[in-house]
Amino acid sequence: MDTRSSHAWQWIYPPLASHAHGWLDVGDGHQVYWEECGNPLGRPALFVHGGPGAGCTADDRRWFDPQRWRIVLFDQRGAGRSRPLGQLAANTTEHLLRDIDALRLHLRIERWLLFGGSWGATLALAYAERNAERVQALVLRGVFTATAPELRSLYTEHPADLLDAFAARLHGGDASTELAAAQAWLRREHDLMDREDPDARRQAPAPAPPRDADTLLAMARIGVHYARHGFFLSGAQLLIDAARLRSVPGVIVQGERDLVTPPAAARALHHAWPASKLRLVA
């Protein structure tokens, strides 16, 4: 789920170039792409992208004041510029959490702020619950906690049937069928966002050019891979483990009309995490 806010473009900072980048070997044949921008001496902040499988874009650098923040971005396993593209082996939530901390160590960061939306919020939250002493604060938007009601809302009342059908087409061996399935998978989320606030989306800037076929396939295959496995999370465990965040402040920003990540999850998280502030956006 890559739910970038339709209104956010009005608030973010001007385009920004990275000043450092590289690939971190995290084992299992994976190399994770990372980059830094902003102030090298500023407060460290990690942007966690959505999807799973979406990868980062240049606009994702623009959420932070570049004078104040040392901005770190990375592409999760198999996504974006990470290598190999679309690799599903050794690609689970547990692997991604380890990768985030490996990147922190690689960049010699002691503590950082984590910022993420949708799946990015899920992953940032899971990391913070496991590594509270390494997290200064959290900014989460469009919260998704992978509970059974959320999965049914996203993938109909019979998610296993839908997800198995997509998986069969995405790995069927016929290139045109696979690409059509990938496009259909990604179009589902876009259609949900259009229904959420069509007027605002018409006022937003033109979307980025379509991605190449290999990238589209990688995004869809990783997204279905995670969804078929319940995002490799156990029910409401994220809400239960929110008690570990008693010393971690944070802000939850949630759209009241969000159809991709409905506000019930944000409210439940806020209730379970007393140190958080909830901001509902009409």
Side-chain angles (χ1 to χ4, degrees):
M1 296 159 292
D2 183 24
T3 55
R4 292 181 173 87
S5 169
S6 58
H7 300 286
W9 63 273
Q10 301 177 50
W11 307 330
I12 55 182
Y13 292 88
L16 181 67
S18 63
H19 57 71
H21 71 276
W23 281 265
L24 177 64
D25 190 336
V26 291
D28 309 306
H30 286 273
Q31 292 182 318
V32 169
Y33 175 84
W34 61 269
E35 65 181 36
E36 282 195 69
C37 50
N39 183 352
L41 301 179
R43 294 176 60 189
L46 178 71
F47 177 84
V48 187
H49 70 69
C56 291
T57 71
D59 279 341
D60 293 328
R61 304 168 185 161
R62 302 170 61 191
W63 290 100
F64 307 87
D65 181 345
Q67 302 301 316
R68 296 181 54 201
W69 294 95
R70 177 186 176 187
I71 307 161
V72 181
L73 302 92
F74 79 108
D75 291 335
Q76 296 159 28
R77 290 190 180 204
R81 290 149 291 185
S82 290
R83 304 185 293 218
L85 179 65
Q87 178 62 262
L88 303 185
N91 194 337
T92 69
T93 300
E94 177 67 26
H95 289 101
L96 302 186
L97 295 175
R98 294 177 190 172
D99 294 349
I100 291 174
D101 213 49
L103 180 59
R104 180 187 64 80
L105 293 170
H106 177 71
L107 298 178
R108 300 182 180 181
I109 293 172
E110 183 177 353
R111 299 174 71 228
W112 50 6
L113 175 145
L114 271 65
F115 177 104
S118 192
W119 166 248
T122 313
L123 196 58
L125 177 62
Y127 176 86
E129 290 176 350
R130 179 178 295 193
N131 303 278
E133 73 283 359
R134 302 300 182 195
V135 178
Q136 290 183 339
L138 286 170
V139 179
L140 309 178
R141 57 186 181 85
V143 168
F144 174 72
T145 55
T147 61
E150 290 172 283
L151 295 177
R152 287 194 297 271
S153 174
L154 275 174
Y155 306 120
T156 76
E157 290 298 316
H158 302 285
D161 294 343
L162 174 68
L163 296 170
D164 287 348
F166 265 109
R169 288 167 173 77
L170 287 167
H171 299 276
D174 178 78
S176 61
T177 300
E178 291 176 349
L179 181 57
Q183 292 169 330
W185 172 261
L186 299 172
R187 191 162 53 243
R188 287 185 74 254
E189 291 182 358
H190 294 161
D191 288 347
L192 277 175
M193 286 185 281
D194 283 338
R195 286 167 50 202
E196 176 185 333
D197 194 351
D199 292 336
R201 292 188 66 81
R202 280 196 293 269
Q203 296 166 14
R211 309 196 193 200
D212 62 83
D214 289 341
T215 301
L216 290 175
L217 278 171
M219 291 172 65
R221 285 171 173 168
I222 293 173
V224 171
H225 169 66
Y226 272 77
R228 289 182 78 200
H229 292 88
F231 295 86
F232 300 97
L233 293 167
S234 177
Q237 195 64 44
L238 286 175
L239 297 177
I240 295 170
D241 290 344
R244 300 175 181 176
L245 301 176
R246 59 178 59 89
S247 63
V248 179
V251 177
I252 302 167
V253 181
Q254 179 66 46
E256 290 185 310
R257 293 186 290 173
D258 193 329
L259 299 178
V260 182
T261 54
R267 292 191 178 98
L269 176 60
H270 176 55
H271 179 75
W273 174 22
S276 67
K277 296 180 180 179
L278 177 61
R279 299 287 183 263
L280 293 173
V281 182

